[in-house]
Amino acid sequence: MPEIGSPEFVFWFRQAAPYIHAFRGRTFVVAFGGDLIRDGDFGPLAHDLNTLVSLGVNLVLVHGARPQINQRLEEAGLPLQLERGVRVTERDAIIPVLQAIGQVRFEIEAGLSMGLANSPMANADIRVAGGNFVTAQPMGVREGEDMQYTGEVRKLDVAAMRDRLEFGETILLSPVGYSPTGEAFNLTLEDVATTAAVALQADKLIFLLDQPGVVDEQGELVNELTAAEAEAYIPSERSTSSDLDFYLPCCIRAVRHGVKRAHLISRHMDGAMLTELFTHEGIGTMISREPLETLRRAIIDDIGGILALIEPLEEQGVLVKRSRELLEREIERFAVLEHDRKIIGCVSLHTFEEGEIAELAGLAVHPDYRDGGRGEQLLKHVEREARRLNIRKLFVLTTRTAHWFVERGFAPAEVDILPMKKKELYNWQRRSKVFIKTL
């Protein structure tokens, strides 16, 4: 993060403002393993969680306890048995398991209770809610192995959880559930977290893991995936050592069942969660049900976003200046390209009485997104719309981007070819070049 007071900090803070507004009152489920507690890294995470709470985010935390359970079982001389990466919990092991889970829970509650002056937790008011929210059932026999006291979530007391969240409390769920007969079952944190996120229809499901996120064949981080795209990264055979193998399928299931976004973020980078949530680029992998970018007809609420795109280009002389009032009158002519609720591109189509000719205008793409073919996407949208209206010719006036349009089939033309109304408004001082394309 840039140094406070620097222009970079001001820019970053302004970029974060839309997210701060959008996240207020939303529900996030954040899941992390017991290794984060074991390694002493919960303090910085507590600071970030406190930041989210202070911004009005409803938090549900789900913790694991695998290394703590392993230690307890080793001390008790009990075997560590895994079936495809999931612990087989024998009857003799359930007490050490519950003790380890309780130990981790107490450490988390203590970390969330900090309030030292001159620290990020100063004046923190995180009230932690817990209880028997999770009803469990035995996992049963899997591939010939009786999982015994390893269970899976049967249901959650969603009404009680919503009450706690509306009361301003942070819910802490442990990987343990209880059956109607009073038995306790050891659960996986990913099962608890995913079920909770789906049941609450959370806005985000966030997993903190050892890996930075999903990486491609070249070893590069993949920042965004749809659920369908993410399936290609699920290995045919699950590894017993990779968090990603367990969490990625859960992310896919969550977004397909109503969770808006799922995130995979490294637990090893300080502030990774805030960077992922409050910057456009992020730092992990975000998974959504549908593509994050949509091309749609503009509405009146988009005017602020359109102005933010075109005003820098107007100042450079690339586009003709338009007032807010003019945009309001012409908003139905615009289409916008939206990326995760942020407008990153716009274009407009102006028709005339002559009928067979129309103008492409106001084509702009945010500087951070200009290398992905989005300008061409907006151009093709206008061409499709023009054909739908039986328009045969499309023209554009430009001072700086002539080559871009020529490369896409536009040819130089004289001012005389313009419709009468446009010809009357032509600015001879600006001396825009005219290009035309037959559709």
Side-chain angles (χ1 to χ4, degrees):
M1 186 177 296
E3 181 181 351
I4 294 177
S6 67
E8 292 81 7
F9 173 80
V10 174
F11 175 79
W12 174 86
F13 204 78
R14 287 172 177 166
Q15 291 290 307
Y19 297 102
I20 294 172
H21 175 74
F23 291 163
R24 184 172 291 112
R26 305 298 185 179
T27 298
F28 295 179
V29 177
V30 181
F32 49 91
D35 41 11
L36 186 143
I37 308 299
R38 176 201 60 195
D39 296 344
D41 294 333
F42 184 71
L45 177 60
H47 298 164
D48 294 349
L49 295 172
N50 180 54
T51 299
L52 293 177
V53 170
S54 69
L55 295 175
V57 175
N58 299 320
L59 285 182
V60 178
L61 309 180
V62 184
H63 74 86
R66 174 164 290 190
Q68 292 83 357
I69 292 174
N70 288 346
Q71 181 180 349
R72 292 270 183 168
L73 293 179
E74 289 174 356
E75 291 172 352
L78 296 172
L80 308 180
Q81 185 177 355
L82 300 176
E83 174 58 39
R84 294 180 65 82
V86 177
R87 186 184 307 280
V88 178
T89 309
E90 298 178 347
R91 177 183 294 273
D92 293 341
I94 192 63
I95 296 302
V97 165
L98 296 178
Q99 290 173 339
I101 291 173
Q103 168 197 339
V104 174
R105 184 182 183 92
F106 292 147
E107 291 185 39
I108 294 171
E109 290 181 348
L112 294 174
S113 301
M114 292 188 297
L116 295 174
N118 301 319
S119 80
M121 296 296 288
N123 302 314
D125 186 24
I126 301 178
R127 297 190 299 275
V128 181
N132 55 341
F133 296 121
V134 182
T135 299
Q137 62 188 14
M139 189 174 285
V141 177
R142 296 294 173 93
E143 298 187 11
E145 182 69 46
D146 185 356
M147 304 301 288
Q148 301 186 51
Y149 282 84
T150 297
E152 56 191 8
V153 179
R154 180 179 177 185
K155 65 177 181 178
L156 294 172
D157 191 343
V158 177
M161 294 174 68
R162 290 192 187 280
D163 285 344
R164 296 298 91 205
L165 293 174
E166 291 175 5
F167 197 63
E169 296 182 348
T170 292
I171 294 176
L172 178 59
L173 297 179
S174 297
V176 61
Y178 307 96
S179 72
T181 59
E183 293 178 297
F185 288 93
N186 180 25
L187 309 177
T188 64
L189 79 90
E190 59 268 22
D191 181 24
V192 176
T194 307
T195 305
V198 171
L200 293 168
Q201 289 294 277
D203 293 86
K204 292 188 180 293
L205 169 61
I206 302 168
F207 284 107
L208 302 178
L209 66 163
D210 285 328
Q211 295 81 21
V214 176
V215 295
D216 60 21
E217 294 179 352
Q218 288 72 43
E220 297 292 328
L221 179 68
V222 182
N223 292 110
E224 297 171 2
L225 289 169
T226 64
E229 291 169 340
E231 286 184 334
Y233 292 92
I234 298 177
S236 55
E237 294 186 7
R238 176 183 287 181
S239 165
T240 59
S241 59
S242 172
D243 290 342
L244 192 63
D245 293 351
F246 292 98
Y247 299 160
L248 183 57
C250 292
C251 290
I252 296 171
R253 178 161 68 93
V255 298
R256 283 180 168 162
H257 286 81
V259 177
K260 293 182 176 63
R261 301 283 188 270
H263 299 257
L264 296 162
I265 311 169
S266 171
R267 71 176 182 90
H268 298 292
M269 184 174 295
D270 186 19
M273 185 165 63
L274 297 184
T275 305
E276 172 73 6
L277 296 176
F278 292 99
T279 64
H280 298 319
E281 299 82 7
I283 203 169
T285 299
M286 178 166 65
I287 299 165
S288 60
R289 181 175 180 179
E290 303 294 341
L292 294 178
E293 289 189 5
T294 56
L295 182 59
R296 59 173 175 79
R297 188 177 299 276
I299 59 176
I300 199 72
D301 291 342
D302 297 326
I303 286 179
I306 294 173
L307 283 172
L309 280 178
I310 66 176
E311 283 178 345
L313 297 175
E314 290 173 350
E315 293 173 1
Q316 297 168 23
V318 178
L319 294 180
V320 177
K321 286 186 177 292
R322 292 174 175 81
S323 66
R324 177 179 285 269
E325 292 74 18
L326 179 61
L327 273 178
E328 289 177 354
R329 292 196 301 269
E330 297 183 346
I331 192 64
E332 74 280 355
R333 298 177 176 178
F334 275 83
V336 294
L337 186 60
E338 192 176 46
H339 181 95
D340 197 22
R341 299 188 295 271
K342 176 186 176 182
I343 293 176
I344 64 168
C346 65
V347 70
S348 64
L349 177 66
H350 296 250
T351 57
F352 300 90
E353 291 182 358
E354 284 82 343
E356 292 187 352
I357 189 169
E359 179 185 13
L360 180 153
L363 176 60
V365 178
H366 191 280
D368 292 345
Y369 297 88
R370 285 179 183 165
D371 295 330
R374 291 163 176 99
E376 193 156 2
Q377 183 180 357
L378 290 166
L379 170 60
K380 289 180 178 179
H381 168 79
V382 168
E383 291 178 353
R384 287 194 299 269
E385 183 67 12
R387 290 189 182 96
R388 187 183 68 82
L389 297 173
N390 296 318
I391 292 168
R392 296 184 177 182
K393 294 183 178 181
L394 197 63
F395 74 88
V396 63
L397 302 179
T398 181
T399 58
R400 303 278 188 89
T401 56
H403 286 286
W404 191 88
F405 285 103
V406 169
E407 291 169 2
R408 285 154 182 83
F410 285 78
E414 299 298 328
V415 175
D416 291 341
I417 66 96
L418 298 178
M420 185 60 65
K421 185 175 181 181
K422 189 68 180 181
K423 194 184 305 182
E424 292 172 353
L425 297 174
Y426 182 80
N427 187 338
W428 289 97
Q429 289 184 329
R430 180 176 168 83
R431 298 185 64 184
S432 298
K433 295 183 178 180
V434 181
F435 291 86
I436 193 165
K437 182 177 184 178
T438 301
L439 301 178

